[in-house]
Amino acid sequence: MRRLSVSLRWKIALTVTAVSCAVAAALGVLVHNAVARQTVGEVRKDAGKDLDTALVLFEYGTSREGINSVLDPPELPAELRKLVHSGKRGSMVGVYHGRSVMWVAAPAGSQIMAVWSPYGSTRRNLEEFDTAILGSAVLAATAVALAGLFVAHRISRRLASTAAVARRITAGDLDARVGGGAGRQPGRGPAGHDEVEAVAAALDSVAGSLQSRLQVEQRFTADVAHELRTPLTGILASAELLPEGRPKEMINDRLRALRRLTEDLLEISRLDSGAERPDLAGYELGPLVDRAVRTTGFDTEVRLTAGSDPDTVVETDRRRLDRIIANLVINAHRHGAPPVVVTVDAPRGGTVSVVVRDRGPGFSDALLEHGPQRFRTDAPGRGKGHGLGLTIAVGQAAVLGIDLRFDNAPDGGARATIQLPRYPETRH
């Protein structure tokens, strides 16, 4: 059974309403009992005085005219009659000649002396008083509920704003801030402001600290790459002077790998800086994908799905899209298993996509959940995951503003899907 989801705003409002209703009900009962006890007590007291007078007059055989007294009245309640027969006196609300009265009775020899006092007006007054209490309780509960809803709305709105900023930070917008914290002193707790503001201040502090750390990391990566570039160029030139042979091949191979790593680090630092801007234009998708796949040097099949338009033109930056497709194909060959297939799906009027698929073990759960991680490859001794190739692909996709998704095919193998926008002149 699905549980009903209630927002914090309504939880607070309902709690305040329930508490105010409970307090109003308790106070209403207490006030009603106190007033009823006092009012009925006055009526009973007056009737008791009349009963004392009636008993004295009855004992001396004097007329009881002017006193509402009756000997052995048939309308006397049975419970009160039983009490008097036991030798006690008592009082009880009952009826006399169709009217609501207060009976007070006591033994009078072998008979019962009863005095009655009108009780109808007293009952009406108590009912009117109860109505006034109920109305006041409803008004008070409504006012408190509205006040609670207003306060809860403000708290909920501030928390929602804080949560929205947290989601923006999670999505990579490290400049996002909750704000409203001007004048706060670092390190101070919530003594000077409420708890919601304290949470907002803590989130802003975390975002600022995270942004500073990432900026330091980006600067370090860029500085290292720049510093390596110059001596690496000199070493490559010097290596060409070595005599031909296996040692020279090994040295050149490692140097070329180091140069690729340096270029990748420089590219990542540019992507991290947020200064990269795409140079968009219209390109035919088929030839563009063919060229990107051929540059990898791997044996890769390129397919066009049935019903696709071979002349589809997409709006993109050719250099950046080449980089994305090449990195995905190279990653599929290095970490997956053949055959590696690149499928172009460009239905007329539909979504244009390029899918890179292999038959290997598929992407790891960590990559599917958190995305590609830098400096993590499937090479022995380097742990599991993927390295700079996929990281660069994701960064270039972000610059182009296109969707790049990673998943595993139902029948096995890793799958990367790129969705591309059509060129404006070809949109329908």
Side-chain angles (χ1 to χ4, degrees):
M1 183 177 178
R2 185 178 179 182
R3 294 183 61 184
L4 181 63
S5 178
V6 182
S7 66
L8 177 63
R9 177 191 315 173
W10 286 107
K11 286 180 180 179
I12 295 176
L14 292 174
T15 301
V16 171
T17 302
V19 172
S20 61
C21 288
V23 172
L27 290 177
V29 171
L30 292 175
V31 172
H32 166 80
N33 290 339
V35 172
R37 189 163 48 248
Q38 181 179 0
T39 303
V40 175
E42 292 292 335
V43 175
R44 185 179 289 112
K45 181 178 179 181
D46 293 340
K49 292 180 180 178
D50 290 343
L51 177 61
D52 292 337
T53 303
L55 288 172
V56 172
L57 295 176
F58 175 77
E59 184 178 353
Y60 288 101
T62 309
S63 173
R64 301 189 306 279
E65 187 177 355
I67 301 177
N68 298 328
S69 61
V70 185
L71 283 174
D72 292 327
E75 294 91 345
L76 192 68
E79 294 85 353
L80 183 57
R81 185 183 299 276
K82 182 178 179 180
L83 179 66
V84 175
H85 279 314
S86 66
K88 301 177 181 178
R89 63 186 294 168
S91 62
M92 184 175 292
V93 176
V95 178
Y96 184 60
H97 294 331
R99 300 167 57 191
S100 179
V101 298
M102 171 69 77
W103 287 106
V104 180
S110 60
Q111 297 177 298
I112 296 176
M113 176 64 70
V115 171
W116 59 270
S117 178
Y119 192 73
S121 60
T122 302
R123 173 169 289 173
R124 284 193 299 272
N125 291 337
L126 290 176
E127 291 175 350
E128 292 174 356
F129 184 73
D130 289 343
T131 302
I133 291 178
L134 180 61
S136 300
V138 170
L139 289 176
T142 302
V144 172
L146 291 176
L149 183 60
F150 173 75
V151 173
H153 174 71
R154 293 193 61 184
I155 295 175
S156 176
R157 184 175 59 184
R158 293 166 65 190
L159 289 175
S161 176
T162 302
V165 172
R167 286 191 292 269
R168 288 173 57 191
I169 294 172
T170 302
D173 183 7
L174 297 181
D175 292 323
R177 297 290 186 275
V178 179
R184 294 193 186 105
Q185 297 181 10
R188 289 193 60 180
H193 47 273
D194 58 43
E195 287 77 4
V196 177
E197 189 175 353
V199 171
L203 179 62
D204 286 348
S205 177
V206 169
S209 176
L210 180 61
Q211 185 178 39
S212 298
R213 290 176 180 271
L214 288 178
Q215 288 173 348
V216 170
E217 178 185 337
Q218 291 167 7
R219 286 195 298 269
F220 175 77
T221 302
D223 292 343
V224 168
H226 278 291
E227 293 297 328
L228 286 175
R229 200 173 193 181
T230 300
L232 183 58
T233 303
I235 295 173
L236 282 169
S238 301
E240 293 298 327
L241 301 177
L242 294 175
E244 297 297 331
R246 181 59 181 166
K248 179 179 179 179
E249 293 178 3
M250 295 177 60
I251 291 174
N252 284 334
D253 179 66
R254 293 299 86 197
L255 287 175
R256 282 192 292 270
L258 182 58
R259 182 173 61 183
R260 286 195 300 269
L261 175 60
T262 303
E263 296 298 330
D264 287 347
L265 289 174
L266 285 172
E267 185 173 357
I268 287 177
S269 67
R270 291 194 298 270
L271 293 172
D272 287 342
S273 68
E276 293 287 281
R277 296 293 181 268
D279 183 14
L280 300 177
Y283 298 94
E284 290 188 8
L285 182 59
L288 190 152
V289 173
D290 283 333
R291 182 173 53 252
V293 171
R294 285 198 307 270
T295 59
T296 64
F298 289 101
D299 183 16
T300 306
E301 180 183 359
V302 179
R303 296 177 182 173
L304 187 67
T305 60
S308 294
D309 182 4
D311 299 323
T312 298
V313 178
V314 295
E315 183 181 36
T316 188
D317 184 325
R318 185 180 66 183
R319 180 181 64 83
R320 298 183 189 278
L321 186 59
D322 282 349
R323 183 72 159 141
I324 294 172
I325 295 175
N327 282 10
L328 294 178
V329 171
I330 292 172
N331 183 81
H333 281 281
R334 288 180 176 174
H335 304 290
V340 176
V341 179
V342 178
T343 304
V344 178
D345 185 18
R348 297 181 184 275
T351 302
V352 179
S353 63
V354 177
V355 180
V356 180
R357 163 85 183 275
D358 65 58
R359 293 288 178 173
F363 292 120
S364 65
D365 293 338
L367 185 142
L368 295 177
E369 182 177 357
H370 304 292
Q373 303 295 312
R374 301 177 186 180
F375 304 111
R376 299 186 65 185
T377 74
D378 279 339
R382 293 290 302 278
K384 294 183 179 180
H386 296 268
L388 299 180
L390 293 185
T391 303
I392 291 174
V394 171
Q396 294 291 5
V399 173
L400 292 176
I402 61 177
D403 187 19
L404 173 57
R405 299 194 308 270
F406 300 99
D407 67 345
N408 293 323
D411 54 343
R415 184 169 57 186
T417 303
I418 310 168
Q419 290 189 342
L420 298 165
R422 293 177 180 270
Y423 193 62
E425 295 180 359
T426 65
R427 292 174 184 165
H428 300 285

